[in-house]
């Protein structure tokens, strides 16, 4: 963390000198001391560290299981390619995110290996033409940075995470943000059958051959499709001991529930009631 | 601040018991100790406090001048009506914001008195029908709250603030956010000529009679429209002593500037060059 990073309004002046990983850990722990964090301050693009990345995706979850989701917040092509490679190899869903060099646009992208385009499916022209990928980051160009664009993009990323994991709403494949025009394009990108990534092509084949199995494997079925009885009690064990407290009128009181009006329609359907209503007008 | 507010990921557990105003001041000071804050923890809807609100809008800026902008982040109808009244009365631009009770949508709105619809131009049905405004907040309904939806809405509000004050991009009159569908509607609302707010009607008349004067009064002209010489040095006095430092290749080096390729087209226009190029193919 350098003083120049203070414009992000996330790091604090006294954190200057810490690594960004350490400073983030501090801030996140202050916000929620009950979360277990595990940090690695390393370059994932070396082959040694790549193995650590693979291993932690495979066993970094609760009870040493696979993690639920990988969020990518890296700022360069090589790191994105590395995460893309790992997730294609493991068949791991990940969310990619980024903010443009001019700081006035951003995007998030849901990566489901073999189902949507992977990061390598549509390579930059310079890479596709066999050029040097380092040419992507132009020398001498100073990337601008706005905390607003970063905050909104990070917010959209966190929202997509909640929607994906808790299964509500629609998780867009691609969602862009153009700050100047308040424009938010959203669309889907099918994978490239000739993608340069072998694992992407393998995952595509799996989706083509066993689409239903893949929906299950990637946990993409609606809750109701998976359960035999959707009327079952939602949280029978209440692992976290959550209780509904009465404050600000936020508890469901039985008294109020009883107030609900019950009208005896004498067996008439809504259509019949509407017809009677009409005849009275 | 109550422990129940921790889900917003803004307040910290040890701030429990502080007022939200005090806790916010703490956090904002930690982020930027160089900003001068002035806090009031009060209900603006009483007539005594309303006078304080008016006075601070008029003289709460630098050198006891009028503030540049009012941001509304209140959570109820009466408080919004109060800010609307004050800003219509003073001809003060303000940004309104809100998040829905179900926590999956939000909006921001740019309020320019007399130019766009004010908060009273389209009253809720219950108020328009002469009913009790307290019926708007339904009894026993517990408002849900997601830090993601709040964070994104706050981010859009801050972005609109930067765009408005620093004059870049387009500041939408209304920008909505539907989290479930990743949908962001944006449109303009003209004021209601029969608005119940007398000051809104007065401001509408001013805009109808002196549109150009109003553009100047509300500081809505483009920078170039205001200045005689747009080539003048942008910051001749450099009040904050800002210098461009050389780090991460972020300084403009003269050496690199010289590298720029210059091609002698022998006076040919782009069209002529394109034509020659075509004839070679």
């Amino acid at each position: 963390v350098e003083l120049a990073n203070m414009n992000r309004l996330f790091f604090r002046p006294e954190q200057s000198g810490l690594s960004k990983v350490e400073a983030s850990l501090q801030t996140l722990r202050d916000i929620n001391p009950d979360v277990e964090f595990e940090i690695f301050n390393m370059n994932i693009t070396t082959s040694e560290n790549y193995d650590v990345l693979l291993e932690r995706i495979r066993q970094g979850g609760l009870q040493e299981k696979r993690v639920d989701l990988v969020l990518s917040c890296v700022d360069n092509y090589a790191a994105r390619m590395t995460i893309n490679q790992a997730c294609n190899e493991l068949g791991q869903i990940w969310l990619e995110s980024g903010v443009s060099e001019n700081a006035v646009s951003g995007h998030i992208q849901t990566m489901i290996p073999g189902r949507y385009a992977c990061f390598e499916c549509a390579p930059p022209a310079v890479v596709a033409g066999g050029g040097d990928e380092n040419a992507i980051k132009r020398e001498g160009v100073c990337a601008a940075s706005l905390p607003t664009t970063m905050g909104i993009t990070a917010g959209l990323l966190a929202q997509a995470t909640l929607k994906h994991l808790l299964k509500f709403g629609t998780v867009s494949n691609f969602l862009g943000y153009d700050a100047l025009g308040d424009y938010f394009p959203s669309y889907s990108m099918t994978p490239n059958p000739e993608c340069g990534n072998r694992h992407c092509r393998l995952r595509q084949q799996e989706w083509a051959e066993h689409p239903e199995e893949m929906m299950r494997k990637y946990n993409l079925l609606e809750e109701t499709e998976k359960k035999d009885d959707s009327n079952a009690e939602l949280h029978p064990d209440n692992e976290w001991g959550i209780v509904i407290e009465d404050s600000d009128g936020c508890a469901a009181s039985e008294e109020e529930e009883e107030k609900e009006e019950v009208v005896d329609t004498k067996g008439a359907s809504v259509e019949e009631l509407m017809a009677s209503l009409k005849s009275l007008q």
Side-chain angles (χ1 to χ4, degrees), chain A:
Chain A
V1 178
E2 298 169 46
L3 278 179
N5 300 135
M6 290 306 123
N7 82 317
R8 298 189 193 176
L9 309 183
F10 178 73
F11 301 118
R12 298 188 303 272
E14 74 269 19
Q15 294 180 320
S16 173
L18 289 179
S19 74
K20 283 178 186 161
V21 169
E22 284 163 349
S24 302
L25 178 68
Q26 251 185 17
T27 302
L28 294 174
R29 271 220 177 112
D30 283 351
I31 291 172
N32 193 341
D34 295 332
V35 174
E36 232 175 81
F37 296 94
E38 186 183 308
I39 61 172
F40 298 90
N41 186 10
M42 64 183 205
N43 176 0
I44 53 173
T45 66
T46 69
S47 71
E48 197 179 316
N49 290 341
Y50 179 73
D51 290 339
V52 179
L53 176 66
L54 276 188
E55 197 273 331
R56 293 324 285 156
I57 292 176
R58 267 207 217 94
Q59 301 181 33
L62 292 175
Q63 284 112 33
E64 305 200 353
K65 284 192 195 141
R66 159 100 57 126
V67 300
D68 289 316
L69 190 63
V70 173
L71 304 189
S72 161
C73 308
V74 299
D75 69 350
N76 64 81
Y77 179 77
R80 282 191 177 86
M81 283 293 276
T82 303
I83 296 173
N84 188 61
Q85 175 63 35
C87 292
N88 276 341
E89 203 172 319
L90 298 174
Q92 172 63 50
I93 298 183
W94 60 295
L95 294 179
E96 140 72 3
S97 66
V99 169
S100 65
E101 262 179 358
N102 64 6
V104 285
S105 65
H107 76 275
I108 62 166
Q109 193 172 349
T110 310
M111 314 297 258
I112 304 180
R115 190 186 199 199
Y116 294 138
C118 88
F119 191 68
E120 213 174 326
C121 279
V126 59
V127 175
D132 179 7
E133 66 173 59
N134 290 314
I136 295 168
K137 192 173 179 340
R138 289 169 292 153
E139 259 325 297
V141 168
C142 173
S145 140
L146 280 176
T148 43
T149 307
M150 288 204 184
I152 292 164
T153 306
L156 295 172
L157 184 70
Q159 190 81 289
T161 301
L162 293 185
K163 284 159 71 179
H164 171 74
L165 293 178
L166 304 179
K167 294 182 185 290
F168 66 91
T170 309
V171 183
S172 304
N173 174 205
F174 179 94
L175 175 61
Y177 167 46
D178 162 42
L180 296 184
D182 285 341
Y183 176 58
F184 300 79
S186 172
Y187 45 83
S188 283
M189 285 180 279
T190 45
N192 178 358
E194 291 163 30
C195 177
N197 188 296
R198 186 171 65 90
H199 288 285
C200 174
R201 295 196 309 273
L202 282 172
R203 298 290 95 80
Q204 290 184 46
Q205 208 179 324
E206 288 171 356
W207 274 96
E209 287 168 6
H210 315 285
E212 283 175 29
E213 201 185 310
M214 289 302 112
M215 287 297 281
R216 262 193 303 278
K217 186 192 157 191
Y218 287 100
N219 193 18
L220 294 171
L221 296 174
E222 300 286 328
E223 282 300 316
T224 46
E225 292 175 54
K226 282 197 313 190
K227 283 185 185 165
D228 293 319
D229 182 7
S230 58
N231 288 324
E233 207 188 335
L234 200 54
H235 304 290
D237 45 0
N238 194 7
E239 183 187 357
W240 306 101
I242 292 172
V243 291
I244 299 171
E245 283 185 9
D246 193 2
S247 84
D248 292 339
C250 273
S253 98
E254 281 187 31
E255 211 179 307
E256 274 174 39
E257 273 171 31
E258 278 174 4
K259 273 195 221 152
E260 207 175 295
E261 272 183 60
V262 178
V263 178
D264 182 6
T265 62
K266 296 179 177 27
S269 72
V270 173
E271 287 73 21
E272 287 164 337
L273 288 171
M274 285 299 287
S276 332
L277 198 68
K278 225 165 188 176
S279 70
L280 292 175
Q281 287 173 335

